[in-house]
Amino acid sequence: MSDLKYKAIIGLEIHVHLNTKTKMFCSCPLEYGGEPNTCVCPVCLGMPGVLPVMNKKAYEYAVLAGLALNCNIPRYTKWDRKSYYYPDLPKNYQISQYDLPMSEHGYIEIPTKEGDVKKIRITRAHLEEDAGKNTHSGSFSQVDLNRAGTPLLEIVTEPDLSNGFEVRELAVQLQRIIRYLGVSQADMQKGHMRFEPNVNLHISRGGEKYKTPIAEIKNLNSFKALELSVEYEIKRQLGEFVENGVTMETGQKTTRGWDADREVTLHQRSKEAANDYRYFPDPDLVPVELDDEWFEDIKSRMCELPLAREMRFVSEYGLSEYDAGVLTAERDMADYFEDAVRGGADPKRLCNILTQTGFKLAKDAGKSFVELGVSAAAMAKLCVMTDEGTVNATAASSILEKMAADGGDPEKLAEQLNLIQKSDAGELEGIVDAVLSENSKAVEDVLSGGKKSGKARGFLMGQVMQKTKGQANPKVVNQLLGEKLRIKN
């Protein structure tokens, strides 16, 4: 083993349900979690003599995604039939795209473990229809065809990935892009987004080079499963090579499933080749020609993508990379943040209130922060009030909690809750004098300038805050203490 070296070669296939109201080639509604086989019609059931009609919105969403992935968008593409038999595919073929996909030759950038950015090439992204869903219980199986015909964008990368971490990061970045564009909800638990990594190893030993058979891991629907299954498959293939000498010449391509409980991949079947699907142009659908006017209309819907926006939040607003990543994770949150900044909120103050209080309130409510209903204008006003010293940071958190629960104007809430800070120096001066008079030992410790000085100064500040029930403006109190103590000194 000492002279054995290997490199994992990983490509990824991603299936994304597009967020249209109806299916790809018929008018059946797209509904998740409905009664089985209720959202079906003769077209998606594959009845004889029916004709498909392309969903224009699905095609536009696919083009938009292709543009975001830096793909070339051909102006001419066609539909093909991909033939295979499976119980959840009633036509016995799938309408897909083969040799003329609607986007190709793009790339996506991802962070690496080393903190660099790596460019992963996109081979193609093409449109097709999804199959139905099989469920297995005991000794029988059932088929639900509600999903059959759902618009499905299949994205295929080049084998540029090297480990489970990179695969996971690509999936995270891709989900963010898809959601930003609004072309899919990309909820993996609902099956909106599924991942299928293709893994094999290039091994060198004793001056010879070997390749292990490619294994495709099917239908992964979580980032954790994606990373763990890839790392397991790398170890499994290496062990199989070392123990049995299995290579691409002696083994064969396979598809494997992921057992999340045991955290292992399991053999399912041998992998089909392209010629097994007997692709040919679909005779019931005309090719799609994307003219300049239509193409420019789709391009005009592009938004600033999440990674670029995250970097801008760091450079323009002075946020940390972590905070910028949190605030730009979802487009509506990033939009909200910038709306509040335009309304007068200081970016860092706004970030602190959101991350320290706002997101906790949202989590407790089981919603996103935007869904809590606090307007960006009200949030901006609360930030300004905090910066101006009208309320302190603790009070701002209490006010935000009330705004999230019942709504209301932050200024009026501050008055109602008696949270407005006392900033009148004349009013506070008497309280400061009383504290200094009542705590002569602490005053002596401050004036001594020794180790106890800082602690004693803090004690005096605390006494003033206690007498004012936390409503004194710390800046004003600190200034008064400084003046009074300099006089005494």
Side-chain angles (χ1 to χ4, degrees):
M1 285 279 290
S2 60
D3 64 336
L4 185 149
K5 296 181 180 180
Y6 71 92
K7 179 181 180 182
I9 308 297
I10 307 165
L12 197 57
E13 296 177 18
I14 306 102
H15 297 90
V16 181
H17 277 185
L18 298 180
N19 194 28
T20 55
K21 293 181 180 179
T22 58
K23 294 185 179 181
M24 186 68 228
F25 298 109
C26 67
S27 59
C28 288
L30 286 184
E31 295 181 4
Y32 295 88
E35 287 295 316
N37 300 308
T38 55
C39 298
V40 293
C41 72
V43 175
C44 55
L45 288 176
M47 296 297 185
V50 297
L51 292 174
V53 178
M54 185 191 81
N55 186 327
K56 182 181 178 183
K57 178 64 72 174
Y59 193 83
E60 292 176 343
Y61 279 169
V63 171
L64 198 57
L67 289 170
L69 294 173
N70 305 290
C71 288
N72 173 51
I73 309 296
R75 300 306 181 89
Y76 178 94
T77 187
K78 65 180 177 66
W79 301 102
D80 299 286
R81 290 188 178 182
K82 178 181 180 182
S83 300
Y84 63 95
Y85 172 77
Y86 210 61
D88 58 5
L89 193 69
K91 294 194 295 280
N92 291 338
Y93 66 85
Q94 178 188 41
I95 300 176
S96 183
Q97 294 180 318
Y98 179 48
D99 56 330
L100 293 175
M102 43 71 56
S103 59
E104 57 188 353
H105 308 316
Y107 67 87
I108 182 173
E109 293 182 328
I110 64 168
T112 65
K113 282 183 177 179
E114 296 73 29
D116 300 321
V117 173
K118 183 175 181 178
K119 183 180 289 187
I120 307 299
R121 293 170 295 163
I122 304 293
T123 309
R124 58 189 280 151
H126 67 264
L127 254 180
E128 58 189 24
E129 59 178 341
D130 204 357
K133 182 180 181 181
N134 292 322
T135 57
H136 309 285
S137 177
S139 59
F140 63 91
S141 297
Q142 296 175 304
V143 180
D144 179 7
L145 295 176
N146 281 348
R147 195 175 68 184
T150 297
L152 193 67
L153 181 65
E154 180 171 347
I155 302 166
V156 182
T157 78
E158 292 288 328
D160 294 340
L161 299 153
S162 304
N163 52 58
F165 176 86
E166 291 182 0
V167 173
R168 179 191 179 110
E169 283 302 313
L170 187 147
V172 169
Q173 295 301 324
L174 183 59
Q175 186 192 55
R176 291 178 72 191
I177 290 172
I178 293 297
R179 284 179 168 171
Y180 255 63
L181 296 173
V183 303
S184 175
Q185 296 177 36
D187 187 331
M188 289 183 286
Q189 297 305 311
K190 293 182 179 179
H192 298 158
M193 200 170 190
R194 307 192 298 273
F195 302 92
E196 296 178 349
N198 287 263
V199 184
N200 81 316
L201 306 180
H202 288 191
I203 300 172
S204 61
R205 185 174 68 178
E208 299 290 331
K209 298 194 178 198
Y210 308 91
K211 297 179 182 178
T212 59
I214 297 172
E216 180 180 21
I217 310 169
K218 301 292 286 186
N219 293 326
L220 300 172
N221 65 351
S222 76
F223 298 135
K224 179 181 178 182
L226 193 55
E227 183 172 13
L228 291 178
S229 65
V230 166
E231 291 298 333
Y232 174 84
E233 188 59 24
I234 291 172
K235 293 176 183 177
R236 186 194 69 79
Q237 290 188 24
L238 183 63
E240 198 172 61
F241 172 81
V242 171
E243 293 176 16
N244 303 315
V246 176
T247 66
M248 197 171 281
E249 288 73 27
T250 60
Q252 59 182 171
K253 295 180 181 179
T254 59
T255 63
R256 302 180 71 85
W258 173 243
D259 186 325
D261 294 329
R262 296 163 55 195
E263 295 189 348
V264 298
T265 63
L266 302 173
H267 176 83
Q268 292 181 333
R269 65 180 187 274
S270 299
K271 178 67 177 168
E272 304 90 345
N275 60 342
D276 294 324
Y277 292 123
R278 305 191 313 281
Y279 283 100
F280 69 92
D282 193 300
D284 293 334
L285 287 162
V286 297
V288 183
E289 296 187 48
L290 187 64
D291 62 29
D292 291 343
E293 183 179 359
W294 190 15
F295 184 53
E296 291 302 320
D297 178 58
I298 297 172
K299 283 178 65 176
S300 70
R301 305 174 204 172
M302 280 291 292
C303 64
E304 184 181 23
L305 296 178
L307 189 57
R309 201 171 195 182
E310 180 181 333
M311 294 170 65
R312 181 169 63 79
F313 273 33
V314 172
S315 61
E316 185 174 332
Y317 299 134
L319 305 180
S320 69
E321 290 184 4
Y322 175 81
D323 285 339
V326 170
L327 291 168
T328 60
E330 299 290 343
R331 182 177 175 179
D332 59 354
M333 187 65 244
D335 289 344
Y336 180 95
F337 182 88
E338 296 211 271
D339 286 344
V341 170
R342 283 190 287 268
D346 175 77
K348 290 187 178 180
R349 170 70 67 186
L350 175 59
C351 175
N352 288 340
I353 293 178
L354 285 171
T355 55
Q356 294 173 14
T357 303
F359 291 165
K360 182 181 183 300
L361 294 174
K363 183 179 180 181
D364 291 343
K367 300 178 179 179
S368 71
F369 179 78
V370 176
E371 291 173 331
L372 292 179
V374 178
S375 72
M379 177 60 78
K381 184 184 284 190
L382 180 61
C383 290
V384 171
M385 289 169 59
T386 309
D387 284 331
E388 290 179 347
T390 305
V391 297
N392 60 33
T394 302
S397 295
S398 299
I399 293 168
L400 179 56
E401 186 174 351
K402 190 69 173 175
M403 289 164 66
D406 305 315
D409 178 80
E411 287 183 348
K412 292 180 179 179
L413 288 172
E415 292 178 2
Q416 292 171 8
L417 298 172
N418 198 28
L419 294 174
I420 294 178
Q421 287 194 135
K422 297 180 183 296
S423 298
D424 187 320
E427 181 181 355
L428 291 173
E429 185 174 8
I431 298 174
V432 170
D433 286 339
V435 167
L436 294 178
S437 175
E438 295 167 3
N439 297 278
S440 56
K441 179 64 170 64
V443 172
E444 290 178 11
D445 288 341
V446 173
L447 298 178
S448 70
K451 293 181 179 180
K452 296 180 179 179
S453 178
K455 186 176 180 180
R457 177 71 175 262
F459 171 77
L460 293 172
M461 171 70 80
Q463 290 300 299
V464 175
M465 299 306 291
Q466 185 176 15
K467 282 182 177 293
T468 61
K469 297 181 179 179
Q471 291 181 293
N473 187 327
K475 291 181 181 179
V476 177
V477 173
N478 197 44
Q479 183 179 354
L480 286 170
L481 281 172
E483 293 172 354
K484 300 285 183 180
L485 291 169
R486 276 197 298 273
I487 293 172
K488 290 181 177 292
N489 199 28

